[in-house]
Amino acid sequence: MLLAVSGGPDSTALMHAAARLAPAGSIHVATVDHRLRPGSAAEAEAVAAKAARLGLAHHLLVREGEAPATRLQAEARRARYALLAACAGRIGADRVLTGHNLDDQAETVLLRLCAGSGPAGLAGMRGARALARGVTLGRPFLALAKAQLAAWCEAGGIAFLRDPSNADDRFARARLRRLSPILAREGLDPARLARLAERLARDDAALSRTARDAFAGLRIDAERGVRLGSPAALPEAVTLRVIALAMAEAGAEGPERLERLEALVLGTLLPALREGRAVCRTLRGLTVETTLRGEVVLAPAPPRKGGNAVRGRADGLLGKGSPAAYIDDE
C-alpha cells in the first residue's frame, strides 16, 4: 500500500495506524510537494523523517511547472492524484490510501451543493474508487471526524502539522469551514452532511445500474459513434444517465457538466423525440441528434471552422457562463 501523507493530523494518524497494523515492508509513504508556499519542502522532509522512524519507505513527489492561474486547488488535486498513481505503479502498490475524513466529506458535499451538482456529486467522496489501472484509491477514515484523529495523535504523543491553507479565505473550502459552526447550530453538522452523502451514494448506485441496463437495451449497432433507440419512455433521471453513457462511449471531450447535459437532454432531445422532430446539437466535441425514426445518434463533431463553430452551437443551446456542476469524485 502507498499512503498519501501531508503531515496533518488525519494523514499522520493514517501513517501511524498503518505502521502498527500492516505487515513489515508492505507500507510505503508518499508526500506531494506542490511548491505553492514557503515551507512546503521542510514539511515534506519532516514527514520523511517520521516515516523513517517508523521503518517505512518514503517517496517525495514534487509537482513541476508553474502554479495554475485559476482553479488552484482543483488543479493541485489532479496533479496530486496523478503523482500518487505514478508512484504506486513504480513500487507495485495496488492501493493508495488517504486520510480524508468526515469533515472533508461534509465540505465536499457543501462545495458541490454550491456548484449545483446532482445526486452523483452530492454523494461526495467514495470510500474506494479506481485511481488508475490496477490501483484503487481508499479512504478508511471517512466516518471519523478530524477532531477524533487529532485527539488520537495527541493522546499518543504523535506530533502533526497544521496546513495554513486550511484557513486561507482565498479557497472555498476554508470559507465553508468558517461557516461550519453556524450550519451545525441549525442541525446541518458534518455528520448529517455525511449521512446525506451516504444516502445519495446509495441512490446514485441504483440509478447508475438502471441506466447501464437501459443503455445496453437501447443500443443499436452503428458504424460510427453511438446509435440508440428512443429513451423517451424512461424516467428523466435515467435518460440523463443513458445519454451521458452514450457520450462517454462516443468519445466526448472535457468534463461532464450537469447543467449542460440537462439543457441538451431535457430541453432539446426529449421534446424532439416526443414530437417526432429531428434536431441536431453539439456538445463536448460530439454531434447529438434525434432522427425522424425516433433514434438518438451521437458521433464526433466535424472539425471546427475558425476554431469556434462547434462551441458556438453549444453556447447557443446552453448559455454562456453556466455554472459548472461537476459530478466527479475527489
Side-chain angles (χ1 to χ4, degrees):
M1 291 187 291
L2 178 64
L3 311 182
V5 180
S6 65
D10 34 23
S11 62
T12 297
L14 176 68
M15 179 170 67
H16 280 261
R20 296 182 189 184
L21 296 173
S26 66
I27 300 295
H28 288 240
V29 174
T31 304
V32 178
D33 181 4
H34 291 281
R35 294 182 172 177
L36 294 176
R37 54 183 173 78
S40 62
E43 292 171 2
E45 290 173 3
V47 173
K50 292 175 183 178
R53 288 195 290 272
L54 293 171
L56 305 178
H58 183 269
H59 307 268
L60 175 60
L61 311 178
V62 179
R63 186 193 63 83
E64 304 292 348
E66 296 294 325
T70 59
R71 291 177 52 81
L72 181 62
Q73 289 199 320
E75 289 303 314
R77 182 172 62 249
R78 182 199 59 76
R80 181 164 59 252
Y81 283 140
L83 288 167
L84 290 168
C87 183
R90 287 194 300 271
I91 66 175
D94 61 3
R95 280 168 290 176
V96 173
L97 302 187
T98 72
H100 287 117
N101 54 64
L102 183 129
D103 297 72
D104 297 322
Q105 180 74 300
E107 290 164 9
T108 297
V109 172
L110 284 175
L111 281 169
R112 295 184 180 177
L113 183 63
C114 292
S117 292
L122 296 178
M125 295 180 283
R126 305 316 198 258
R129 70 168 176 88
L131 180 62
R133 184 182 295 275
V135 181
T136 298
L137 175 68
R139 299 176 173 113
F141 287 168
L142 275 186
L144 297 176
K146 183 183 285 289
Q148 290 177 281
L149 297 170
W152 185 83
C153 288
E154 290 167 352
I158 300 168
F160 55 82
L161 304 170
R162 296 191 183 276
D163 185 349
S165 67
N166 288 336
D168 190 335
D169 279 349
R170 291 180 301 164
F171 304 124
R173 278 188 182 274
R175 296 193 297 272
L176 288 174
R177 200 169 288 129
R178 291 184 185 279
L179 291 175
S180 182
I182 299 172
L183 295 175
R185 287 197 293 272
E186 299 299 328
L188 200 59
D189 59 13
R192 184 159 289 175
L193 286 165
R195 281 198 298 275
L196 172 65
E198 290 176 6
R199 290 164 178 160
L200 286 169
R202 183 176 61 223
D203 293 350
D204 178 63
L207 280 170
S208 295
R209 205 161 41 241
T210 300
R212 287 194 298 270
D213 291 344
F215 177 66
L218 291 172
R219 181 162 184 180
I220 302 168
D221 288 339
E223 294 181 3
R224 179 172 173 269
V226 176
R227 182 182 294 269
L228 302 173
S230 175
L234 297 172
E236 289 182 347
V238 176
T239 301
L240 284 166
R241 290 162 184 266
V242 167
I243 299 301
L245 287 170
M247 294 185 75
E249 185 154 326
E253 301 170 355
E256 181 173 291
R257 299 184 179 184
L258 184 56
E259 285 90 348
R260 293 193 165 200
L261 182 65
E262 287 173 333
L264 173 66
V265 176
L266 306 183
T268 301
L269 298 185
L270 286 180
L273 289 168
R274 289 164 181 159
E275 296 164 14
R277 293 185 289 110
V279 298
C280 182
R281 296 291 186 268
T282 53
L283 182 63
R284 298 177 63 201
L286 299 174
T287 59
V288 185
E289 60 180 303
T290 62
T291 70
L292 294 177
R293 291 186 295 181
E295 296 173 347
V296 179
V297 180
L298 302 92
R304 298 183 182 184
K305 297 178 181 179
N308 61 3
V310 172
R311 173 64 61 193
R313 293 185 71 186
D315 285 339
L317 167 67
L318 302 161
K320 294 183 178 180
S322 60
Y326 294 101
I327 63 171
D328 59 343
D329 199 329
E330 291 205 337

